[in-house]
Each structure stands twice: as structure tokens, then as C-alpha cells.
């Protein structure tokens, strides 16, 4: 086999080698120690979601969400399908209250999509935005008077495209805080007790695409939706049935379990946070010390998960193409920036090794020297 490239993809994204090993074994045969059922000698891909063998995996995945991600005990953990994009609609469908608008903070493409879904359903207020400066920072938290009467306040904790990230969860008092955690869930310890509902497509820090983690404070399950909500789009249904109302993505949930078990083995969110800080700082130091590269995100809002930059100069576009082609040739995969920002993006999620960041930084310095 040729040497493995360093995978900077924004998502689906890099997963730890130990997770590939454990997952590959479970595709052949689960072989659960202490489980003498026939299913335990079958593949994860072919056993019933109602079997005792799968149930143990499901319950362990939920327990690890509480333990490793810090999801409070007062929250129900759900494993849904349809990606974070389905949550853009499910949140307002389930949580909007009559005569109370939904409030959003606009930090780019993904929050905009969430806002559009909410607008289609009812009154929606954008209470802060960083649009005017190309979404290069997280706007200052608006005063409570701007969202106090809202059904909830929605934020995007990490903006995958621009490389901006909330430092921590804001305290929104009695207004339920809803957070799209898709691209930084588990990146470090965060004030999860401030979050009423969190959601994340799994395909960055949690596993493969096709599973969406949702956690919701149990009292919010009691909210009566304003309009009709189809059965599969009701949080209450999924909570009552422990995410087994219909057939869940059993394979994806098992991989998510494997990823969280790996995070725990590595020292949990605390260790992830320290490692992610070091990785991001190393790249930002190259960007800040360069006259060729310009970081997109402003200091104070810089993401530890997605580092974004453009190349400067008269032939910036051609230089960017050369940079990306040379990077590919050097085994650095997935550095092309999102089309709405251009330039480059290094996605360095939990599973991305520190050694790979060192290789990228050396490559960047060398490219600038010889450009
Ligand atoms: C912050 C954020 N929210 C939402 C999405 C959409 O996720 P999905 O593709 O799971 O619908 C993405 C995808 O990259 C994202 O980065």
C-alpha cells in the first residue's frame, strides 16, 4: 500500500486509524466478549436494530455522548438521519412558539440556511451578523433584550467555511440556546449546560456521514409545535423511542461509538482541546508571519478546526492553483477552500495528527520561499 496522504477534508473527514481497525473487525464479525447471542457472531451490517447485541452498542454510544461530549444528564441524546440540514427545519418545526419569533445569529452559509428554513415557517429575527465583513469573525453577543422574547436563539458554533468559531457557549438566560455543533463537537470542553438543543452531522468529529447527533433538554420535548409536524420530524417521537422509532443508521452509530471511545482513550475532550490548540496555533503562526498568505478569520474568532487563508499578489489565483497542486503532489489532500471564500482551508479535526500539521507548515514555508 502507498503511504497514506494527510487528509485535510472538511467533511466527511479524517478518522483515527484505531477506529478503522475496530470498525473493520466489526464488519467481519462483532465478536462481543460476554455476548453469547448468535448476532454477536455476525457483522454489524446485518444484525437487527432490535437485537440485544446492537442495543449494547446503541446504549454505549449514548453514554459516551454524555461522558465524552459533556451532554448534560437532563438532555435526551438522539441519533437521527438527514444531516444537520434537516435540523435547520426540525428546530423551528418543533420549538417555535406562537407569538414568539425565532432568533438567529448569522455567521455564514450554514446559519443562513438555518435562517431560511425558520423564515419559511414563521417570524424570524437575525439579531447579529458578520456578513458585512465577509463573515471573518463572530459578532459580539447582542444584549438580552434582542432575544429575550424569542422561542430560542440559534448559533453556529464553528463556521466550517470561514474558519470562525465561538470561544464558548454564550449564556442566554431563560431563552433556550440552540447550537449547530456540526464542525466542532467534542473539540474541547464547552459549557454544554448552557445549550438547550445541540445538533451535529457526524461526518467531521464523530464518525461517518449519515448520522446526526441531536441532544435536547427534556423539558423542551413538552413544547407543543405551532403547526403539524410529520412523525419522523418530531423530537418527541425519537426521544420516546430512544432513536429506534424506525431503523436507525446502525453502522454509523457504531462508528460514532468507536470514535468517542477513541477520544476517551486519548484523554477526552480536555486532551483534544490542548492538541487542537497546538495544531491550530502552529498554522496561524505561519500565516501571521507570512506576506504571501492571509488568514481569513480575525484574531479572537479563529477556529481550531478549520483554518482558512488566501494567497496574496497579482497572480493570486494562479498561485493558489499551484499551491494546491504542489500540496496534492506532496500528499496533502483536501486543502482547497470552499467556493464561497476561495483560497485554502486546512480542516484539522480531532483525529488529525499533530505530525501532519508540522508537514503542512513546512510545506507552506517552503512554498513561500520558492514562490
Ligand atoms: C456548520 C455546518 N452546519 C451544517 C452543515 C450541513 O451538514 P449536513 O451535510 O450534515 O446536512 C455543515 C456541513 O458541512 C456544516 O459545516
Amino acid at each position: 500500500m502507498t503511504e497514506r496522504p494527510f487528509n485535510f477534508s472538511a467533511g466527511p473527514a479524517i478518522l483515527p486509524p484505531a477506529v478503522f481497525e475496530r470498525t473493520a473487525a466489526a464488519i467481519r464479525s462483532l465478536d462481543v466478549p460476554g455476548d453469547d447471542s448468535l448476532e454477536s457472531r455476525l457483522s454489524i451490517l446485518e444484525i437487527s436494530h432490535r437485537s440485544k447485541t446492537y442495543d449494547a452498542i446503541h446504549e454505549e454510544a449514548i453514554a459516551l455522548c454524555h461522558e465524552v461530549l459533556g451532554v448534560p444528564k437532563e438532555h435526551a441524546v438522539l441519533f437521527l438521519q438527514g444531516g444537520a440540514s434537516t435540523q435547520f427545519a426540525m428546530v423551528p418545526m418543533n420549538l417555535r412558539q406562537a407569538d414568539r419569533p425565532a432568533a438567529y445569529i448569522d455567521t455564514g452559509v450554514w446559519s443562513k440556511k438555518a435562517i431560511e428554513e425558520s423564515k419559511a415557517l414563521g417570524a424570524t429575527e437575525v439579531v447579529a451578523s458578520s456578513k458585512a465583513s465577509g463573515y471573518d469573525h463572530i459578532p459580539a453577543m447582542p444584549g438580552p433584550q434582542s432575544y429575550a422574547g424569542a422561542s430560542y436563539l440559534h448559533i453556529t458554533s464553528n463556521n466550517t467555511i470561514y474558519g470562525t468559531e465561538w470561544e464558548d457557549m454564550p449564556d442566554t438566560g431563560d431563552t433556550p440556546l440552540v447550537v449547530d455543533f456540526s464542525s466542532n463537537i467534542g473539540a474541547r470542553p464547552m459549557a454544554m449546560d448552557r445549550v438547550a438543543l445541540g445538533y451535529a452531522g457526524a461526518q467531521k468529529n464523530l464518525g461517518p456521514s449519515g448520522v446526526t447527533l441531536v441532544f435536547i433538554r427534556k423539558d423542551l420535548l413538552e413544547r407543543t409545535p405551532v403547526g403539524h409536524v410529520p412523525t419522523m420530524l418530531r423530537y418527541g417521537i425519537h426521544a420516546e423511542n430512544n432513536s429506534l422509532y424506525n431503523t436507525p443508521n446502525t453502522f454509523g452509530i457504531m462508528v460514532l461509538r468507536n470514535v468517542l471511545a477513541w477520544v476517551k482513550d486519548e484523554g477526552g475532550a480536555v486532551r483534544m482541546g490542548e492538541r487542537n490548540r497546538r495544531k491550530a496555533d502552529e498554522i496561524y503562526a505561519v500565516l501571521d508571519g507570512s506576506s504571501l498568505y492571509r488568514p481569513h478569520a480575525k484574531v479572537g474568532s479563529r477556529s481550531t478546526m478549520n483554518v482558512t487563508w488566501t494567497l496574496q499578489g497579482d497572480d493570486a489565483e494562479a498561485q493558489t492553483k499551484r499551491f494546491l497542486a504542489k500540496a496534492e503532489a506532496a500528499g496533502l489532500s483536501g486543502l482547497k477552500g470552499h467556493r464561497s471564500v476561495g483560497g485554502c482551508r486546512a480542516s484539522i479535526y480531532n483525529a488529525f495528527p499533530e505530525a501532519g500539521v508540522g508537514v503542512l507548515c513546512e510545506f507552506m514555508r517552503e512554498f513561500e520561499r520558492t514562490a
Side-chain angles (χ1 to χ4, degrees):
M1 213 162 88
T2 53
E3 207 177 312
R4 200 179 146 73
F6 287 112
N7 182 10
F8 291 94
S9 168
I14 187 165
L15 291 175
V19 168
F20 291 137
E21 293 303 321
R22 192 175 179 195
T23 303
I27 288 176
R28 283 181 222 105
S29 170
L30 279 155
D31 287 330
V32 184
D35 179 347
D36 54 9
S37 69
L38 289 181
E39 281 92 351
S40 105
R41 286 156 40 204
L42 295 172
S43 165
I44 180 63
L45 298 177
E46 60 182 344
I47 63 166
S48 167
H49 57 296
R50 312 267 175 219
S51 64
K52 174 179 141 206
T53 303
Y54 174 72
D55 190 55
I57 294 168
H58 195 88
E59 289 304 324
E60 191 185 346
I62 293 171
L64 285 165
C65 288
H66 288 294
E67 187 181 348
V68 175
L69 302 177
V71 173
K73 287 282 175 242
E74 299 72 39
H75 290 51
V77 170
L78 310 177
F79 300 123
L80 307 184
Q81 300 181 55
S85 301
T86 299
Q87 294 311 306
F88 297 161
M90 269 180 85
V91 165
M93 278 179 163
N94 286 272
L95 299 190
R96 226 161 34 91
Q97 294 170 299
D99 306 324
R100 284 178 179 262
Y104 284 76
I105 295 185
D106 167 29
T107 50
V109 165
W110 298 116
S111 44
K112 267 237 122 61
K113 289 193 173 183
I115 290 164
E116 291 313 314
E117 294 289 352
S118 172
K119 277 186 177 163
L121 290 162
T124 302
E125 286 173 7
V126 177
V127 295
S129 171
S130 52
K131 185 178 180 186
S133 61
Y135 297 118
D136 62 358
H137 67 284
I138 301 292
M141 186 62 190
Q145 70 284 355
S146 64
Y147 58 80
S151 297
Y152 57 84
L153 173 68
H154 179 285
I155 67 169
T156 311
S157 61
N158 183 78
N159 298 279
T160 326
I161 293 173
Y162 314 88
T164 61
E165 186 173 14
W166 285 76
E167 220 173 309
D168 205 345
M169 296 303 105
D171 182 354
T172 54
D174 291 338
T175 307
L177 177 66
V178 175
V179 183
D180 175 357
F181 276 112
S182 291
S183 51
N184 72 346
I185 185 86
R188 59 175 183 278
M190 295 181 217
M192 292 304 204
D193 54 335
R194 293 180 172 175
V195 180
L197 185 153
Y199 62 89
Q203 64 271 19
K204 297 158 199 308
N205 259 349
L206 295 177
S209 56
V211 190
T212 313
L213 168 67
V214 175
F215 48 94
I216 176 168
R217 220 174 54 207
K218 288 176 188 155
D219 63 284
L220 286 177
L221 295 168
E222 308 303 320
R223 274 198 184 179
T224 309
V226 174
H228 169 72
V229 180
T231 310
M232 276 298 287
L233 299 180
R234 287 187 226 151
Y235 292 124
I237 283 286
H238 293 294
E240 269 167 38
N241 291 278
N242 195 21
S243 306
L244 292 158
Y245 174 75
N246 74 324
T247 316
N249 180 349
T250 49
F251 173 73
I253 293 166
M254 186 204 66
V255 182
L256 179 145
R257 187 274 313 258
N258 294 351
V259 170
L260 292 182
W262 172 82
V263 173
K264 185 178 164 183
D265 284 351
E266 291 288 302
V270 171
R271 267 297 298 287
M272 289 297 135
E274 292 164 0
R275 214 187 267 175
N276 290 331
R277 183 76 272 155
R278 281 197 299 273
K279 290 187 294 184
D281 283 351
E282 199 177 335
I283 308 177
Y284 287 119
V286 173
L287 297 177
D288 288 336
S290 155
S291 51
L292 175 65
Y293 309 116
R294 195 172 70 87
H296 180 74
K298 292 276 171 283
V299 173
S301 296
R302 288 175 163 181
S303 170
T304 58
M305 298 279 95
N306 312 96
V307 182
T308 55
W309 68 94
T310 50
L311 277 75
Q312 303 301 291
D314 296 338
D315 62 344
E317 210 178 305
Q319 274 287 57
T320 307
K321 276 195 181 139
R322 269 196 297 278
F323 177 92
L324 292 169
K326 274 195 155 182
E328 281 282 324
L332 307 175
S333 167
L335 284 169
K336 192 172 190 305
H338 189 271
R339 59 194 175 279
S340 59
V341 174
C344 305
R345 168 174 58 181
S347 297
I348 45 171
Y349 299 116
N350 283 350
F352 195 90
E354 290 192 86
V357 167
V359 172
L360 170 67
C361 290
E362 188 43 42
F363 172 82
M364 290 172 75
R365 281 189 291 262
E366 180 61 19
F367 184 86
E368 183 165 10
R369 261 197 302 273
T370 55

